[in-house]
Amino acid sequence: MSQVRISSRGLRPFAWVLGLILTLFALTAAGPALASPVTVTDVLGRTVTLPGPAKRIVLGQGRQLNALGLIHPDPISLLVGWGNDFQRQMGEAYTLYRARFPAIETLPTVGDSTADGFSFEKAVELDPDLVVLSLSIAGTRRGPGDLVAKFEAAGIPVIVVDFFLQPFRDTVPSLRILGKAIGREAAAEEFVSFYQDRRQRIARRLGPVERPSVFMHAHAGSAECCFSPGKGTFDDYIAAAGGRNIAAALLPGATGQVSLEQVLALDPAIYIATGGTHLARSGGLVLGLGVPAEVASRSLAAQLARPGLKALTAVRKGRAYSLWHLFNDTPTHIAAIEAMAKWFHPQLFADIDPQATLDEISRRFSAIPLQGTSGSSRMAESRKTWQARRQSHEFPRKPRLPRRSRGCPAMTALVAHARIAMIDPDAIIAPLCEHLAEHGAEVTQEEGATIIALGSYRGWLQSSDGHLIVRAEAPDIASLQGAKQAIASHVLEFAPRGEAVPLIAWTGAGSDVAIPSSFRILTVTGIRDISPHMRRISFRGEDLARFDSLEALHVRLFLPPPDLAAPEWPTFGEDGILRMPETDKAPAVRKYTIREINPVAGTVALDFVLHEDAGPGAAFAARARPGDRIGMAGPGGRGLREADWYLFMGDETALPAIGRMLVHLPSTARGFAVIEIADAEEEQALVCPAGIQIRWLHRQGAEAGTTTLLQDAFDTVTWPSDDATVYLWAALEHSDFKALRVAARKRLRPERDHHLIVSYWRRGISEDRPAD
Ligand SMILES: Cc1cc2nc3c(=O)[nH]c(=O)nc-3n(C[C@H](O)[C@H](O)[C@H](O)COP(=O)(O)OP(=O)(O)OC[C@H]3O[C@@H](n4cnc5c(N)ncnc54)[C@H](O)[C@@H]3O)c2cc1C
């Protein structure tokens, strides 16, 4: 254990003694009481003495704000600088902090959250009275990168805490260390007592149980499967919740890559995917603070639909779950442990409510509300299986980073280049690579160039003469588009603020291909009314095979304004980034369902509801003529899954999806399709197995979205015998959707049954207009 007595910077030892003398003088003169020195022993066993509680802190890793915010009502007031990881990885939490503490916006940053990315010089410039480092930055304590030694040498007090590497060993001591360092010992003690109570409650109940095998897939979907925690980190949580982390035996360190083949061979009883909003732009699992439950659950379903994963027994048996990844560096992980305990041992922990735990933390301790901006954010608990796919139509976002290929890289055929002028190209390369590495990229150095290998593409980055030189290689045009957009958008994202925005212009392969690879142009070939308010429009298009899927039924239609001489579509710019046409020429985007598709013939048919108050979707259907062109992207959404018994429910907008699924059910399928329509004239002849009964519910003059017909029908359903597994698929108006979801959650058995209940439209609200 090293003994370090350090004064604050600017008050070197002599000045500090002088400070003490002045303090004593002030006390005897009955002036305001000055602080007494504070001595703490950090997680490295170092004893550090501060002249008083710290008030000018630099947080080496921004994420330590999670812990500070549990023991101080205004943690931002204590900071003079912080690592920039918090804003990047926890965008929603940052927004919540900014709403309550606007000063966060001007808080200087001290680089990224690794020992290499951390700027010692910047931290010193900020003149902190305390630097807080996480064990993952400081723990190595070797060579010139030893930040602890550097701060000690500079006479700046530094303490090391840890909520990530060894959460069980270090969480409580770290809270106490922080509490003491900032003069909030009582607050820290109160949280510690709450935390320990919760942990003991789980430990007491567990006893000598059989521990199910668990595989935790970290940052799911953002890179090649499967990055996973080894020992420490989440492994601690799995053990505390009564599970057995199968990756702990495979990985030597805290984290690492386990091959999909290994996971499939070990076939764990439980699969947990972790994600967060930081994965949104790479197409990974999205959930956590500020994310509505439906979004989280859709995102999980998309991950589970990926090739390979869906073969896991855990996925097929409905023992697949998602967890907010950023629980990995905050004492609120206690709620994650409770959630896992419930998943691993449902009977033992039936009464435990992790959301209630988070709510209590939010109410009693947290500087920001933990419920998220939408108010509907759950802590990340969404349980689902099935073959759905991510809705692949988010054009305005950055693309998903292609997944890294195993073994020999594919022969690269297409090459593009960019030469980007900037003041300090090296300042971009490091954070960009680190960020992509978090998404599973392999980053290597070769002859002065940094090479990023991700999915089927490779990028070379090199700094030369005030330029960032980039080369992208990929085997096909779609991957090259992905590579160019991924690199360009991240260059823009990491470009230093205050400098001119970098100008990017790609040359080489693909520079003349502007249309995104998931986008098709469709031409109207036929129009037929199949009932008074349902119009079937047939289209011809090219290369439609990707849309022929029962796992992803839906598409986004791009409907150009009617008076445009020639439609305009989303296109990739010279910089490789996708953009929509200007506002008055931009197509409206609406979701519809593919009713019929024949990729060989190049035909597709969609059914449009001709509703009152027509927006661009219904209006297009009403005026469509052969030869009209629209755009289509996707597919997305979720469709059919296996079950012993089915219940399909929905209004007219769901009819195309229900009709398409019914045709493809196995002949032995049993169950009901219950469909709300205006009246008997809207009924359609649906093709389905004999065991499926169709029930039409007539509104009889009531307006769509105003009745409780579907909810009432749900309450009177005759359910199958107990041993049958159930799949409920429902799509309906928003208020109906909410009511049905509540009823379904009460009725369905989480361990056996599956459901997909989706809002397809909102009465009185156009798709263009954000809901309240
Ligand atoms: C995944 C998915 C798949 C879908 N598939 C289909 C499909 O195959 N066929 C289909 O017709 N619809 C489908 N829908 C529903 C469709 O996207 C919405 O009805 C959409 O609002 C129609 O756009 P719009 O431009 O006509 O109206 P908007 O501009 O969105 O809305 C204008 C007004 O019309 C009202 N409105 C919208 N839809 C209806 C309706 N059905 N009845 C009465 N009033 C309405 C709105 O409340 C609003 O007041 C699907 C929706 C989703 C999410």
Side-chain angles (χ1 to χ4, degrees):
M1 182 191 300
S2 66
Q3 281 272 346
V4 189
R5 170 171 278 255
I6 305 167
S7 62
S8 78
R9 191 168 170 268
L11 281 177
R12 295 281 144 78
F14 169 72
W16 184 57
V17 173
L18 181 68
L20 264 182
I21 294 168
L22 290 174
T23 302
L24 287 173
F25 177 79
L27 284 173
T28 49
L34 291 185
S36 340
V38 173
T39 300
V40 293
T41 303
D42 73 4
V43 296
L44 291 179
R46 299 167 50 256
T47 301
V48 178
T49 301
L50 312 173
K55 293 191 166 38
R56 296 180 49 77
I57 299 175
V58 164
L59 284 186
Q61 201 170 26
R63 286 192 318 214
Q64 307 298 8
L65 182 62
N66 289 325
L68 265 192
L70 294 174
I71 59 174
H72 195 287
D74 181 0
I76 305 302
S77 67
L78 298 175
L79 303 185
V80 291
W82 66 333
N84 62 13
D85 57 293
F86 190 91
Q87 188 174 359
R88 179 160 52 75
Q89 294 178 332
M90 306 185 67
E92 274 67 26
Y94 178 84
T95 307
L96 292 169
Y97 265 108
R98 192 178 51 196
R100 194 162 278 190
F101 310 106
I104 198 172
E105 276 201 282
T106 50
L107 206 54
T109 61
V110 288
D112 218 335
S113 53
T114 60
D116 291 339
F118 181 88
S119 170
F120 171 76
E121 289 71 20
K122 273 193 201 160
V124 172
E125 264 166 40
L126 294 169
D127 191 23
D129 60 4
L130 177 66
V131 174
V132 177
L133 295 180
S134 63
L135 191 60
S136 51
I137 296 185
T140 50
R141 312 263 359 241
R142 55 184 143 81
D146 184 342
L147 286 170
V148 174
K150 279 165 106 174
F151 281 114
E152 283 176 355
I156 298 176
V158 52
I159 57 171
V160 179
V161 295
D162 174 42
F163 301 99
F164 168 67
L165 286 178
Q166 297 287 335
F168 271 17
R169 190 194 65 191
D170 291 338
T171 294
V172 167
S174 295
L175 280 164
R176 289 185 169 139
I177 292 164
L178 285 178
K180 203 164 183 197
I182 64 171
R184 301 271 305 168
E185 280 167 283
E189 218 41 61
E190 205 188 338
F191 186 86
V192 164
S193 148
F194 170 86
Y195 172 89
Q196 285 179 326
D197 275 351
R198 300 285 158 145
R199 276 212 14 211
Q200 279 156 13
R201 181 170 69 167
I202 295 171
R204 267 198 308 273
R205 282 199 201 179
L206 264 179
V209 284
E210 198 181 324
R211 292 174 173 260
S213 58
V214 179
F215 180 70
M216 185 168 269
H217 181 183
H219 302 292
S222 61
E224 186 198 20
C225 187
C226 305
F227 194 68
S228 184
K231 299 173 184 70
T233 67
F234 279 115
D235 176 49
D236 277 1
Y237 308 171
I238 294 171
R244 183 169 50 83
N245 174 20
I246 59 170
L250 303 173
L251 298 172
T255 53
Q257 191 79 11
V258 177
S259 74
L260 181 59
E261 295 73 36
Q262 279 176 303
V263 180
L264 289 170
L266 291 165
D267 204 21
I270 290 169
Y271 165 90
I272 302 174
T274 75
T277 49
H278 63 294
L279 302 186
R281 67 179 157 229
S282 57
L285 180 67
V286 173
L287 75 169
L289 213 60
V291 178
E294 309 89 78
V295 174
S297 123
R298 240 191 349 255
S299 184
L300 174 61
Q303 301 311 321
L304 299 183
R306 288 173 186 251
L309 286 181
K310 65 183 178 189
L312 287 174
T313 306
V315 174
R316 285 189 285 110
K317 291 198 167 166
R319 301 198 78 188
Y321 306 89
S322 62
L323 196 72
W324 184 41
H325 189 86
L326 279 305
F327 271 127
N328 73 349
D329 208 348
T330 162
T332 60
H333 67 231
I334 188 64
I337 296 171
E338 289 184 338
M340 283 192 252
K342 274 177 92 79
W343 298 337
F344 304 169
H345 306 283
Q347 265 94 34
L348 276 181
F349 296 100
D351 61 320
I352 301 283
D353 182 354
Q355 184 62 44
T357 297
L358 266 194
D359 291 347
E360 189 170 343
I361 295 174
S362 179
R363 204 176 51 250
R364 285 180 55 195
F365 304 101
S366 180
I368 53 161
L370 296 179
Q371 284 293 320
T373 44
S374 69
S376 62
S377 163
R378 301 291 294 174
M379 45 107 28
E381 205 194 327
S382 51
R383 169 196 159 282
K384 262 310 349 105
T385 63
W386 197 225
Q387 310 111 313
R389 216 184 284 163
R390 177 181 173 76
Q391 297 199 331
S392 49
H393 41 55
E394 287 106 337
F395 276 166
R397 289 198 195 156
K398 289 174 198 158
R400 215 183 110 209
L401 300 168
R403 281 176 287 167
R404 184 154 48 97
S405 58
R406 289 223 144 253
C408 298
M411 283 282 289
T412 48
L414 303 173
V415 181
H417 299 272
R419 191 177 153 81
I420 308 162
M422 55 180 57
I423 295 170
D424 183 7
D426 289 314
I428 282 198
I429 295 177
L432 186 146
C433 291
E434 196 202 322
H435 178 76
L436 293 182
E438 277 172 17
H439 294 287
E442 265 170 17
V443 180
T444 49
Q445 300 285 336
E446 203 176 286
E447 293 171 9
T450 303
I451 304 169
I452 302 166
L454 197 53
S456 54
Y457 76 71
R458 268 158 197 271
W460 276 256
L461 306 180
Q462 205 163 5
S463 136
S464 166
D465 192 21
H467 286 82
L468 177 67
I469 312 289
V470 189
R471 168 189 164 98
E473 277 192 10
D476 55 55
I477 208 72
S479 311
L480 194 67
Q481 281 177 340
K484 290 201 287 187
Q485 169 143 321
I487 294 171
S489 56
H490 287 99
V491 165
L492 295 181
E493 181 177 335
F494 289 106
R497 306 243 153 82
E499 280 179 24
V501 177
L503 279 179
I504 305 172
W506 291 95
T507 55
S511 304
D512 52 343
V513 185
I515 297 287
S517 61
S518 67
F519 187 83
R520 302 287 181 279
I521 296 171
L522 301 179
T523 306
V524 175
T525 53
I527 299 144
R528 178 164 70 96
D529 286 341
I530 50 176
S531 71
H533 291 94
M534 186 69 92
R535 179 161 288 184
R536 179 161 302 169
I537 305 188
S538 308
F539 301 87
R540 183 171 296 284
E542 284 179 16
D543 192 15
L544 298 178
R546 66 178 282 130
F547 297 92
D548 186 14
S549 161
L550 280 178
E551 298 173 7
L553 301 171
H554 313 127
V555 288
R556 280 214 158 183
L557 298 185
F558 290 71
L559 306 159
D563 43 1
L564 218 56
E568 292 191 16
W569 311 116
T571 47
F572 284 108
E574 241 191 341
D575 57 3
I577 294 175
L578 193 66
R579 295 199 175 76
M580 286 293 265
E582 281 170 26
T583 318
D584 55 334
K585 296 181 181 161
V589 183
R590 292 290 183 275
K591 285 182 197 153
Y592 279 85
T593 308
I594 292 185
R595 180 65 172 87
E596 293 170 358
I597 181 163
N598 183 341
V600 180
T603 58
V604 61
L606 295 106
D607 288 354
F608 293 79
V609 176
L610 300 171
H611 60 82
E612 297 284 312
D613 191 17
F620 161 77
R623 66 165 188 272
R625 294 283 172 272
D628 286 353
R629 284 183 297 158
I630 63 169
M632 173 171 82
R638 281 191 279 165
L640 205 47
R641 60 166 299 143
E642 281 172 17
D644 298 327
W645 191 88
Y646 292 91
L647 177 58
F648 299 97
M649 301 194 92
D651 60 16
E652 294 91 335
T653 58
L655 239 176
I658 295 177
R660 187 158 164 223
M661 287 189 283
L662 289 181
V663 179
H664 290 92
L665 282 177
S667 57
T668 51
R670 296 175 297 123
F672 289 94
V674 185
I675 303 150
E676 179 195 307
I677 47 175
D679 52 38
E681 286 192 58
E682 297 294 338
E683 291 184 13
Q684 298 180 15
L686 297 174
V687 178
C688 65
I692 298 284
Q693 293 179 42
I694 312 273
R695 246 183 98 191
W696 299 98
L697 308 174
H698 299 159
R699 284 193 296 271
Q700 302 293 24
E703 286 186 27
T706 62
T707 75
T708 57
L709 286 170
L710 284 164
Q711 297 158 45
D712 300 343
F714 184 83
D715 292 340
T716 59
V717 162
T718 313
W719 296 90
S721 59
D722 276 354
D723 55 347
T725 56
V726 168
Y727 181 44
L728 164 63
W729 186 100
L732 55 178
E733 195 280 330
H734 192 74
S735 319
D736 273 5
F737 143 80
K738 285 199 286 190
L740 190 67
R741 194 177 50 175
V742 172
R745 283 190 178 150
K746 282 191 198 140
R747 177 63 185 78
L748 297 179
R749 303 155 302 175
E751 286 310 302
R752 293 189 67 81
D753 305 333
H754 300 286
H755 65 272
L756 173 70
I757 307 174
V758 196
S759 163
Y760 263 19
W761 62 286
R762 286 176 86 125
R763 187 175 149 72
I765 294 181
S766 158
E767 277 289 291
D768 289 329
R769 217 169 55 226
D772 297 335

